[in-house]
Amino acid sequence: MEIRQIRYFLAVQETGSFTKASEKMFVTQPALSAAVKTLEQELGVELLRRSHKQVTLTPAGRRFRDRAFAILAECNAAKSELKAEQHPRQLRIGVLDTLNTPPINQLLHEFHTSYPEIELHLHSGNKLELANKIGQNKADLLLTSLSGEDSSETQLPLYQERFQLMVSRQHELANRASVRLADLHGLPFVLRKNCEVLNEGKRVFLAEQAQPHITCRTDNDSWALTMVRNNLAAAILAETVIEEGTVSIPIVDFGLVRTVACVWREHSEQETVQTFTAFAAQDSWRGLAKVV
């Protein structure tokens, strides 16, 4: 018994005609008829009642039809499983380079633990680089911060966080419960060129007539954190950023926040994207992150 014989038999019972079945299966009618006849001979029963008007199932044919569907279903399932093993399910995620933070790391860890069969491919970059990746279909989904008040069905806000002052434990402000922007006037300071609220932050500093002393300009947060840890300068970073040897202090008159979100392409029906966003919408992984 061959799979093609079963397929031909099912095509005949569906169309009620050897001619229509051969057209459906893209084979010649004699070849299809011979294959079905061989199947009947192997089974030792007549499966089809042939007439000039229509081909119908015999009682044995009706019983075998159910078995035939089950056989094909098992074959298709086996092919799918083997294909999945050879080509694992993948999800390409672009991560904003300022989001190497505990909440995002926890989200990725918990998702991988829950769905180990989905292979994650991570790419980091700034907002423009990530926008280009998803626009060029080089990423399936982004973990990024939202700009403005825009909302979309292809955005899933995850949490909000404040920006705070980060200093070394040896810094003169390290023991303060909170600071004001005026306290930063003249202090050695890291200007993070990749900060999501850079322009808004400059306006806030200007309004408060506070002007820190910029001693480092960088778009690399690792370098900014090194400066802070070595007590060479202070910096403003998101409150979930953690660095050994440093403290994070609220700034009472710096009210800017960032909204961290999943963003994906409009009309995307990719199963792994839907799985990830459904998981990200749950509360279990969030920890101390503030739900939007």
Side-chain angles (χ1 to χ4, degrees), residues 14 21 25 43 50 58 119 127 136 153 158 160 205 213 217 231 233 238 268 290:
E14 177 186 345
M25 302 306 295
L43 295 174
R50 298 153 174 84
T58 64
E119 191 174 86
K127 298 197 73 169
Q136 298 169 5
E153 293 181 356
L158 300 177
Q160 283 186 337
F205 270 92
H213 178 48
R217 292 175 171 82
N231 201 22
S268 174
K290 297 180 177 65

Side-chain angles (χ1 to χ4, degrees), residues 48-194:
L48 300 168
R49 185 177 294 110
R50 298 153 174 84
S51 69
H52 293 295
K53 293 183 178 180
Q54 190 176 19
V55 179
T56 58
L57 291 172
T58 64
R62 285 193 293 272
R63 290 194 300 274
F64 181 73
R65 176 183 56 189
D66 296 336
R67 295 280 187 177
F69 280 126
I71 292 170
L72 288 187
E74 286 295 323
C75 288
N76 292 333
K79 288 181 179 179
S80 297
E81 289 178 6
L82 292 173
K83 185 177 180 180
E85 291 179 1
Q86 295 176 348
H87 305 283
R89 297 158 67 198
Q90 296 182 356
L91 179 62
R92 302 169 299 170
I93 302 178
V95 184
L96 189 64
D97 51 14
T98 62
L99 283 177
N100 184 14
T101 59
I104 293 301
N105 294 334
Q106 183 71 11
L107 169 59
L108 295 172
H109 171 73
E110 294 291 341
F111 180 80
H112 176 67
T113 300
S114 299
Y115 298 93
E117 73 278 7
I118 298 179
E119 191 174 86
L120 297 181
H121 291 253
L122 303 181
H123 308 270
S124 65
N126 59 41
K127 298 197 73 169
L128 179 59
E129 291 169 341
L130 295 186
N132 288 336
K133 279 187 178 297
I134 202 165
Q136 298 169 5
N137 195 26
K138 295 180 179 179
D140 305 312
L141 177 143
L142 303 181
L143 291 171
T144 186
S145 62
L146 298 181
S147 301
E149 301 298 326
D150 295 338
S151 61
S152 168
E153 293 181 356
T154 60
Q155 295 176 356
L156 174 66
L158 300 177
Y159 61 91
Q160 283 186 337
E161 58 182 341
R162 299 172 298 173
F163 287 90
Q164 299 191 158
L165 179 70
M166 179 171 280
V167 297
S168 165
R169 292 190 183 279
Q170 285 74 47
H171 196 276
E172 61 186 89
L173 298 176
N175 294 323
R176 296 277 293 272
S178 64
V179 296
R180 304 187 70 87
L181 290 176
D183 296 323
L184 311 185
H185 186 79
L187 285 180
F189 195 79
V190 177
L191 179 66
R192 297 173 51 248
K193 296 189 292 183
N194 58 347

Side-chain angles (χ1 to χ4, degrees), residues 2 4 41 44 46 56 72 77-78 109 112 129 131-132 134 137 144 163 195 212 215 221 253 274 288 291:
E2 299 178 5
R4 67 180 181 86
Q41 291 172 350
E46 186 180 57
T56 58
L72 288 187
H109 171 73
H112 176 67
E129 291 169 341
N132 288 336
I134 202 165
N137 195 26
T144 186
F163 287 90
C195 179
T215 57
D221 276 358
D253 51 354
Q274 296 173 353
L288 298 177
V291 180

